[in-house]
Amino acid sequence: MILLCQGIGLHQFTHAESIHDKNHRLVYASPCEAVQPTSNLLINLNKQLATVPESQRSQIIEQFWNQITTIQTPVVEKLSKSSSRVIYLWRGAKHNVRLVGGPSNDHEWLTRIPNTDIWFKEVIVQNDFIGSYSFAVDIKNVDGYLSNYCPHLNTELKESRQQRMALRDSFQFDAYNSKRLLDKDINGLRNENILVLDQAPKFINPSQYAKRSLQLKTLNLKSNILNNERKITIYQSIKKQPEQSYITAIFFDGNEYANLLQVPKALDILVEQGKLPPIQAVFIDPIDAKTRPKELTPNTDFSNFFQTEFLPWLDQQIERDAHKTVLLGSSLGGLSSAYIALENPTQISHVVPLSGSFWWQKEKSDEPNGMSRIIRNQALPIKQHWFISANSYETSRAHNELSILNTSPIVANDLKSKGQDVVFKTYTGGHSYAVWQIVVQDALQHFFGQHPKND
């Protein structure tokens, strides 16, 4: 396949024709400059660069970055009452830049403006968008894929999983965005900035409130079934009336929710504002990145751990009302929260799968997906209350693959057909904790706020 990349010329490569230097090392293609900007910001910059002598180009570029320092990134150009163009920018990469997160289901490539240090990606989004993102910069060339000009524009080239995973080693913050969502998660992989457009859902953002004293305790729980030990953090709000019973919210991926998103602080504020009754939250940490998918994919061992070890242990630490116990999780945690809740209907009354990985299939014959097959093959005599969410950019990267966005409403409808109380809601965003922090608050207030929906 032949591609024309501006500033590079005509070249033809196949996936087998990786470029090597004289020492047989993989080398990088020149930065792909095939995509033309459509934003006013960059069109005007290109006009300036085209009208000044070569000796003045560096001054124009420096003035541009000074402007960006002032206005911050991503730059938002409002197009209408409902949509805006968002311009993501990176300065000075040598080989490549990818946008990880943001308004996409994939890792999008940035384009360099020819003969500058300016890399960009433009996206049109709805004005209620909220999302987090990182940049992967100068990703290691693993198997020659990055030696091809504009590989992402060549449909004949297939990026290997090994090459995709290589970007984890090059995550960086946006230097021109002072707003951060996450800073180095438990596995050291996550550096994320945040973008919130003006019509995004309102929520309690803990970072905007003063520091407060919280009732938190951290304990360790050893499992004989799983043969491992994990950290459990428990938060309790203050009771204004001693006779009140607590809501109990149990979170998978506890470190992210307890520490990075500061959910205890957000819940404390909601209780203080009278938007939630007294609540206690329990945060279950994963063992590590390798063990997490094994545990949170529906399986008998983790279900037995939850039912026969975790819940009895928890009931020794706190007073828990089984009719006011919520299980929450995102991604694989959302899949597991649905499965574990169905396995424990007398102990879990409310369920919040946030962007649950309902594309999961235990067997290829599981249709329309693994969780739907589980639901359809059993009676559900006990009514539970569900708040299921999926986000607008959680589509599949290939049209023949299942996605979170298309499987979540199927799972919701299957539960409804079994007599369950189900709310399904979509949010404008990607696969991101930026959205999930909002969904957590929406779901808990839906269940237990001034106008509770459960019966």
Side-chain angles (χ1 to χ4, degrees):
M1 182 175 182
I2 296 176
L3 292 172
L4 177 62
C5 294
Q6 180 182 343
I8 298 174
L10 283 172
H11 295 271
Q12 183 176 10
F13 298 100
T14 67
H15 196 45
E17 295 175 316
S18 302
I19 307 172
H20 297 75
D21 65 10
K22 62 182 180 180
N23 295 317
H24 302 287
R25 295 173 300 191
L26 292 171
V27 297
Y28 291 86
S30 299
C32 180
E33 298 166 356
V35 178
Q36 296 297 310
T38 58
S39 63
N40 293 331
L41 176 76
L42 297 181
I43 288 174
N44 290 337
L45 172 66
N46 274 339
K47 287 180 179 178
Q48 284 183 281
L49 292 172
T51 57
V52 299
E54 185 70 26
S55 60
Q56 295 181 20
R57 284 178 61 88
S58 61
Q59 181 181 354
I60 297 296
I61 294 168
E62 195 62 34
Q63 289 173 351
F64 172 81
W65 285 118
N66 288 338
Q67 177 190 8
I68 296 302
T69 300
T70 301
I71 63 177
Q72 294 273 287
T73 51
V75 178
V76 179
E77 293 182 352
K78 200 149 190 177
L79 301 176
S80 68
K81 291 182 179 179
S82 61
S83 65
S84 293
R85 180 185 291 107
V86 177
I87 307 108
Y88 294 87
L89 295 168
W90 183 265
R91 184 176 192 179
K94 183 179 180 181
H95 299 300
N96 52 64
V97 187
R98 297 183 80 165
L99 176 67
V100 182
S104 176
N105 67 335
D106 203 352
H107 309 319
E108 301 289 345
W109 297 78
L110 274 68
T111 300
R112 190 179 72 170
I113 294 179
N115 303 312
T116 75
D117 60 0
I118 301 167
W119 296 72
F120 72 93
K121 174 67 181 178
E122 299 175 336
V123 189
I124 295 177
V125 301
Q126 298 301 300
N127 288 333
D128 59 351
F129 173 83
I130 179 171
S132 58
Y133 67 97
S134 304
F135 290 114
V137 182
D138 289 332
I139 306 159
K140 182 180 179 181
N141 192 4
V142 174
D143 57 10
Y145 176 79
L146 298 178
S147 299
N148 292 270
Y149 292 111
C150 310
H152 53 296
L153 299 180
N154 186 341
T155 57
E156 295 181 3
L157 295 176
K158 301 299 180 184
E159 185 177 15
S160 69
R161 177 171 175 79
Q162 185 183 11
Q163 182 66 74
R164 285 183 66 83
M165 297 301 286
L167 61 80
R168 291 190 172 195
D169 298 326
S170 55
F171 280 175
Q172 296 191 40
F173 284 117
D174 183 346
Y176 295 91
N177 183 354
S178 59
K179 297 177 181 178
R180 294 182 178 181
L181 177 69
L182 303 175
D183 189 351
K184 287 293 183 185
D185 72 358
I186 192 171
N187 300 307
L189 299 177
R190 196 178 300 279
N191 292 314
E192 294 189 9
N193 294 92
I194 188 169
L195 171 66
V196 183
L197 296 195
D198 58 4
Q199 294 176 23
K202 304 302 180 185
F203 67 103
I204 296 297
N205 184 347
S207 64
Q208 296 178 354
Y209 289 79
K211 186 176 180 180
R212 56 178 56 209
S213 177
L214 302 176
Q215 295 188 27
L216 288 169
K217 61 180 177 179
T218 300
L219 305 167
N220 289 323
L221 173 60
K222 184 175 182 180
S223 169
N224 293 322
I225 294 172
L226 301 175
N227 193 30
N228 57 32
E229 185 174 347
R230 74 192 66 230
K231 185 176 71 174
I232 310 287
T233 300
I234 300 174
Y235 152 80
Q236 285 185 327
S237 69
I238 296 174
K239 286 186 183 180
K240 295 182 179 179
Q241 300 175 3
E243 68 276 10
Q244 288 180 298
S245 64
Y246 279 113
I247 300 163
T248 302
I250 302 171
F251 290 80
F252 290 130
D253 293 315
N255 179 71
E256 276 79 357
Y257 284 101
N259 298 317
L260 297 178
L261 291 182
Q262 303 181 67
V263 167
K265 184 177 178 181
L267 296 179
D268 212 62
I269 295 166
L270 287 168
V271 172
E272 181 180 77
Q273 294 179 351
K275 295 177 180 177
L276 282 178
I279 188 168
Q280 55 194 0
V282 182
F283 302 93
I284 307 174
D285 276 11
I287 298 300
D288 52 43
K290 184 177 180 180
T291 308
R292 178 180 178 269
K294 296 178 182 178
E295 292 188 340
L296 296 185
T297 301
N299 68 86
T300 302
D301 286 345
F302 193 76
S303 179
N304 287 341
F305 154 74
F306 191 92
Q307 183 174 11
T308 64
E309 292 184 325
F310 170 72
L311 285 178
W313 173 88
L314 181 62
D315 289 342
Q316 291 178 349
Q317 314 302 322
I318 61 175
E319 292 184 9
R320 181 177 65 89
D321 183 346
H323 299 291
K324 295 166 63 177
T325 297
V326 194
L327 186 58
L328 309 93
S330 48
S331 197
L332 281 176
L335 173 67
S336 188
S337 67
Y339 174 73
I340 296 295
L342 291 174
E343 292 279 290
N344 297 275
T346 63
Q347 296 296 318
I348 304 297
S349 56
H350 298 73
V351 198
V352 185
L354 306 105
S355 302
S357 298
F358 295 134
W359 45 261
W360 169 79
Q361 294 171 293
K362 184 176 182 179
E363 307 290 345
K364 290 185 178 180
S365 59
D366 287 349
E367 295 293 344
N369 59 76
M371 183 53 61
S372 287
R373 184 166 183 172
I374 290 172
I375 295 167
R376 294 177 186 187
N377 287 345
Q378 63 178 298
L380 304 178
I382 299 176
K383 179 182 284 190
Q384 294 168 296
H385 307 283
W386 298 74
F387 192 105
I388 299 175
S389 65
N391 304 329
S392 59
Y393 293 97
E394 292 180 317
T395 56
S396 67
R397 284 189 281 269
H399 293 299
N400 60 344
E401 294 178 354
L402 299 179
S403 74
I404 289 171
L405 188 60
N406 67 29
T407 55
S408 294
I410 295 172
V411 170
N413 287 331
D414 288 333
L415 289 165
K416 286 181 181 179
S417 71
K418 294 284 187 172
Q420 299 290 291
D421 173 36
V422 184
V423 168
F424 172 72
K425 187 172 180 179
T426 58
Y427 291 77
T428 302
H431 198 67
S432 168
Y433 281 100
V435 186
W436 298 333
Q437 65 181 337
I438 296 174
V439 184
V440 166
Q441 296 181 27
D442 284 356
L444 292 174
Q445 290 182 84
H446 169 78
F447 291 143
F448 304 109
Q450 186 176 1
H451 302 289
K453 301 299 182 183
N454 55 318
D455 51 38

